[in-house]
Amino acid sequence: MTSPAPKLPVSLTANPRLSSWVRFSGDGRVAISPGKVEIGQGVVTALAQIAADELDVDLGRIDMIRASTAMSPNEGVTSGSLSIQQSGRALRHACAEVRQHFLAAATERLGVDAALLDIDDGTISGPGNVTTSYWELAGEVSLDHDATAGAPAKGAARRALAGHSVPRVDIPDKVFARPRFIHDCALPGLLHGRVLRPDVSRANLIALDEASARAVPGLVAIVRDGSFAGLVADGEAAAEAALKILRKGATWSAGEPLPDEDDLAGFLKSEPVETTVIDTRTATSPKQAVRILRRQYTRPYIAHASIAPSCAMARWDGDRVHVWTHSQGVYLLRADLAIVLKLPAESIVVEHMEGAGCYGHNAADDVALDAVLLAKAVGGRPVRVQWSRHDEMSHAPFGAAMAIEIEADLDADNEIVGWRHAIWSNGHAARPGRATQPALLAATEIENPYPRMISTNPPAANGGGGDRNSVPLYDFPAWTITSHRLLTMPVRTSALRTLGAQGNVFAIESLIDEIACLRGEDPIALRLRHLRDERAKDVIRVAARRAQWKPQKRSGIGYGVGFARYKNTGAYCAAIAEIEGADDIRVKRLTLAVDVGEAINPDGVINQIEGGAIQATSWVLKERVRFDRTRITSASWTDYPILRFSEVPAVDVEIIQRPEIEPVGAGEAAHGPVTAAIANAVYDCLGVRVRDLPITRDRIIAAAELAS
């Protein structure tokens, strides 16, 4: 039986030209140009390590080039913890093939067999002290051809950098206050733009009094296109002053009603839906159920709440436009801009710059279109638009609210013999560039508006959306998993970190704990008994050992465990929470174990798990988009509190390093397990099972009253 022919990694198949990934310059530098972007996750460092390993050059020679539609590979969107999995594999293969081409050229020049040549920091040497280098050969070796599937990458044992922690390449600029974030960049001749939007949901602009605003010194232009209205000024102060006057003189329609925030489950279950059966399993030897546990779990709408509001710059040159953005998908944004502007995509360059906070579809793409529309009015000068905190918390897409019902069939021994899991939620993805209509906010406001895109869910093969992590990893004998996606969307939703995984893991792991309690069985023992995947068992065991599960119970202290494999195909993660229940819940310590296969930069993996654990703690204890029947009311940090530094738990992470296994991402692995671990610790501490997030004092009191 012949083995299958080798295949190129998916990103290299889509972008096979080697020169789009790797270039050598005459000053001894190597330019590496991935299509994935840095959004604070440290990916450019890990990708630089991969490239340096395969090329045998010092990490300090690597220049990581920001993604741009003018020159970078099109790797879609940086999301779903896929950067190492997709871009890393492509880059490793591309660099291995580039190395092979240069060895062949060195053989030709030096007259030495390639097998006898070594490469050390880009210098190629052989017997008799003959040497050359990548840079000497760069003029003779063309990389303007497509990759092939035959170039073998180094085995894990031969890699010098992968598996070792190295300093992040993006940190020095941030520490020494060099302008790396888009918010800090000032192009020559820069103007400042602001956009006027209503407080009332989906209101249309009826009238605009422009005369008073035109008297503001420094005002350059007022732009109106249907319900889209904005201005350009020569400074931030002038822009704010003119916007304040415009707002006072604007007349809006009544808008559209929002749901009842206090009955989100009722709203979600009452709307028209598209129903999909995600997965079914039939028991080979069905057992009689003597009782059914029915439980409902909810999570609210969650804001991205990026620390810095969204920002973009745009400059027109005739009928061409250049956009600077912290979007996670420069090519996808370009596609939507082309639709709105009715321009060929080739007339638009979208260039990535880092933004201070991004993990999902926040307003980065929306503000880019705002900047483009305003810049068209000022004849070739660049325009910078930065949203306000109010804008960000009112108009950016939110993570979708979810209602999850689980029914567990139990036999006489309270063993699980059947499982039914149903989800009601808006879709979790309405990113740009994936439909024939644009997904950008201003596109719904212009004179000839596009309809607001109703969020969909990615297919299960890509990890799903509302259904993400809804299929249990446990070996229950039978189950049915069903997703009900809403076909209405009064509150705008799109991708937020983990999509539906946080809600589903919270629900599954909470009910598993409840069943362990019924059985009088240690919740870790129950999990291990129902798992067949040894890597899954290992993260639970390692977390339990590291946390010294289960310590002597003390008054006012609770411990809980949560586990998941992200998307059921990615990183394994187990979390144990130690909480203190006094006036409010305080998470004292989180202990996590994670298995990402080969950890390219262990310190980077730990950073990602720590960050996800802290963000999940904030979601669980505090975060909830608030609204009345007409408007979003949580438009400030006062109304949308997040975890304070003084409330951050100690986070302890152990990596199970598996260099022989292809790496996967770590960014979203911790959220579900940490959410469940905290909820289970609350029950351990207080004897109250809270099934509605966030777990606040009021929710605990309500759950206690319901239980009594």
Side-chain angles (χ1 to χ4, degrees):
M1 182 176 177
T2 58
S3 57
K7 292 182 179 179
L8 289 174
V10 61
S11 282
L12 200 53
T13 299
N15 307 275
R17 190 55 55 101
L18 291 173
S19 58
S20 68
W21 296 88
V22 183
R23 295 186 304 279
F24 295 91
S25 60
D27 58 354
R29 309 294 297 172
V30 186
I32 300 296
S33 181
K36 300 294 187 180
V37 302
E38 180 63 55
I39 51 175
Q41 80 281 44
V43 69
V44 297
T45 303
L47 294 177
Q49 286 178 259
I50 289 170
D53 257 342
E54 292 300 326
L55 293 170
D56 283 313
V57 298
D58 187 88
L59 189 63
R61 290 190 185 274
I62 302 287
D63 294 319
M64 298 300 291
I65 308 301
R66 298 196 308 258
S68 167
T69 60
M71 59 185 294
S72 302
N74 181 356
E75 291 197 83
V77 64
T78 304
S79 65
S81 295
L82 290 171
S83 294
I84 296 299
Q85 204 166 322
Q86 293 179 348
S87 198
R89 290 176 188 176
L91 193 55
R92 178 170 280 160
H93 186 104
C95 289
E97 185 159 346
V98 167
R99 184 179 190 275
Q100 197 173 68
H101 284 303
F102 274 88
L103 282 173
T107 293
E108 190 78 20
R109 173 179 284 203
L110 302 176
V112 176
D113 188 276
L116 300 176
L117 294 174
D118 290 317
I119 306 179
D120 180 17
D121 194 20
T123 296
I124 306 170
S125 60
N129 293 324
V130 294
T131 64
T132 183
S133 71
Y134 286 131
W135 300 278
E136 287 181 10
L137 295 170
E140 302 171 20
V141 179
S142 172
L143 299 181
D144 286 325
H145 56 83
D146 291 351
T148 62
K154 290 181 180 179
R158 295 178 56 218
R159 297 172 192 153
L161 289 167
H164 299 280
S165 297
V166 302
R168 277 177 50 167
V169 300
D170 58 315
I171 294 298
D173 286 348
K174 296 167 183 176
V175 169
F176 294 108
R178 293 188 285 261
R180 189 178 185 103
F181 291 128
I182 189 170
H183 305 75
D184 301 322
C185 183
L187 297 173
L190 188 68
L191 298 172
H192 298 271
R194 293 291 186 272
V195 175
L196 176 68
R197 289 200 162 93
D199 285 338
V200 175
S201 175
R202 306 296 299 277
N204 293 315
L205 183 60
I206 296 172
L208 188 66
D209 179 8
E210 300 180 17
S212 299
R214 291 190 185 280
V216 173
L219 183 74
V220 175
I222 293 175
V223 176
R224 182 176 177 189
D225 183 354
S227 288
F228 176 83
L231 56 90
V232 181
D234 61 10
E236 298 271 13
E240 288 294 333
L243 182 66
K244 185 176 181 180
I245 293 170
L246 273 187
R247 180 171 284 116
K248 188 180 294 185
T251 305
W252 301 91
S253 69
E256 298 179 8
L258 296 177
D260 180 357
E261 189 205 336
D262 294 321
D263 185 23
L264 277 183
F267 158 70
L268 294 170
K269 291 181 177 181
S270 69
E271 295 296 287
V273 296
E274 172 190 76
T275 297
T276 306
V277 176
I278 302 301
D279 197 42
T280 59
R281 172 186 281 186
T282 303
T284 53
S285 302
K287 294 182 179 179
Q288 182 66 38
V290 300
R291 67 182 298 186
I292 300 173
L293 284 187
R294 293 184 179 89
R295 299 292 184 261
Q296 177 178 279
Y297 305 86
T298 67
R299 83 159 196 174
Y301 294 100
I302 303 175
H304 287 81
S306 302
I307 293 300
S310 296
C311 181
M313 295 180 291
R315 181 178 62 213
W316 285 85
D317 180 8
D319 60 356
R320 300 180 65 83
V321 63
H322 194 129
V323 181
W324 292 264
T325 173
H326 56 108
S327 167
Q328 290 176 252
V330 292
Y331 280 95
L332 298 177
L333 173 57
R334 183 181 72 166
D336 269 20
L337 293 175
I339 296 172
V340 177
L341 302 173
K342 297 179 171 55
L343 285 176
E346 295 73 26
S347 297
I348 305 168
V349 172
V350 179
E351 181 178 338
H352 184 265
M353 293 189 72
E354 290 181 49
C358 185
Y359 31 80
H361 180 194
N362 68 357
D365 300 283
D366 294 323
V367 74
L369 178 55
D370 290 350
V372 167
L373 294 175
L374 294 182
K376 195 160 190 180
V378 295
R381 291 182 68 180
V383 171
R384 174 185 180 273
V385 179
Q386 179 170 307
W387 278 20
S388 67
R389 173 58 49 196
H390 186 281
D391 291 336
E392 192 80 19
M393 305 298 258
S394 301
H395 300 296
F398 299 123
M402 301 176 69
I404 299 160
E405 282 189 359
I406 303 181
E407 294 182 341
D409 299 333
L410 305 179
D411 67 11
D413 296 321
N414 289 323
E415 288 280 13
I416 300 163
V417 297
W419 186 272
R420 289 171 298 283
H421 183 127
I423 308 133
W424 286 264
S425 177
N426 274 113
H428 288 247
R431 286 187 183 273
R434 295 179 173 175
T436 56
Q437 67 181 56
L440 305 173
L441 180 59
T444 69
E445 300 170 329
I446 55 179
E447 182 68 35
N448 296 306
Y450 293 87
R452 178 188 281 191
M453 182 184 292
I454 302 296
S455 290
T456 58
N457 284 320
N462 293 345
D467 57 300
R468 181 168 292 181
N469 276 102
S470 59
V471 179
L473 282 187
Y474 302 106
D475 64 341
F476 304 151
W479 62 53
T480 301
I481 316 297
T482 308
S483 174
H484 306 283
R485 180 180 68 89
L486 271 66
L487 300 178
T488 62
M489 197 176 68
V491 177
R492 187 182 180 210
T493 68
S494 191
L496 174 69
R497 209 170 187 184
T498 83
L499 280 63
Q502 188 228 7
N504 287 313
V505 174
F506 163 57
I508 292 169
E509 292 290 294
S510 293
L511 191 51
I512 289 289
D513 246 52
E514 194 166 340
I515 293 168
C517 226
L518 272 176
R519 289 179 47 78
E521 183 175 8
D522 183 281
I524 285 182
L526 185 146
R527 285 169 171 81
L528 294 175
R529 193 162 54 81
H530 281 282
L531 285 167
R532 294 292 173 263
D533 186 333
E534 289 301 322
R535 292 173 72 188
K537 291 182 180 182
D538 281 349
V539 291
I540 295 174
R541 290 184 185 120
V542 168
R545 173 187 52 75
R546 198 172 182 97
Q548 298 180 328
W549 178 272
K550 190 168 187 180
Q552 184 64 39
K553 191 163 185 176
R554 290 170 286 165
S555 176
I557 302 292
Y559 301 89
V561 61
F563 158 76
R565 183 182 187 188
Y566 185 54
K567 299 183 188 174
N568 287 2
T569 58
Y572 297 82
C573 183
I576 291 176
E578 177 186 343
I579 67 108
E580 188 174 58
D583 291 340
D584 291 295
I585 296 300
R586 180 180 182 87
V587 180
K588 296 182 65 179
R589 177 174 293 275
L590 294 168
T591 304
L592 299 102
V594 61
D595 174 353
V596 297
E598 181 187 22
I600 302 296
N601 185 340
D603 185 58
V605 172
I606 290 172
N607 292 163
Q608 283 292 281
I609 296 298
E610 288 175 339
I614 292 167
Q615 184 176 45
T617 303
S618 185
W619 287 358
V620 173
L621 299 184
K622 292 178 176 288
E623 297 191 38
R624 176 187 180 190
V625 173
R626 310 305 304 267
F627 47 91
D628 58 25
R629 301 311 291 267
T630 62
R631 71 191 70 202
I632 304 296
T633 58
S634 53
S636 69
W637 292 125
T638 301
D639 302 312
Y640 190 92
I642 62 174
L643 207 66
R644 296 175 177 269
F645 280 111
S646 60
E647 299 168 312
V648 169
V651 183
D652 183 23
V653 180
E654 181 166 334
I655 298 171
I656 300 176
Q657 179 67 283
R658 300 190 189 274
E660 75 284 0
I661 297 175
E662 289 277 10
V664 293
E668 298 171 298
H671 291 72
V674 166
T675 298
I678 294 172
N680 290 331
V682 168
Y683 178 79
D684 186 55
C685 178
L686 303 176
V688 176
R689 186 71 64 180
V690 182
R691 302 186 181 94
D692 300 298
L693 298 176
I695 301 176
T696 60
R697 180 182 177 85
D698 289 344
R699 289 271 167 85
I700 292 170
I701 293 170
E705 290 174 348
L706 189 64
S708 62

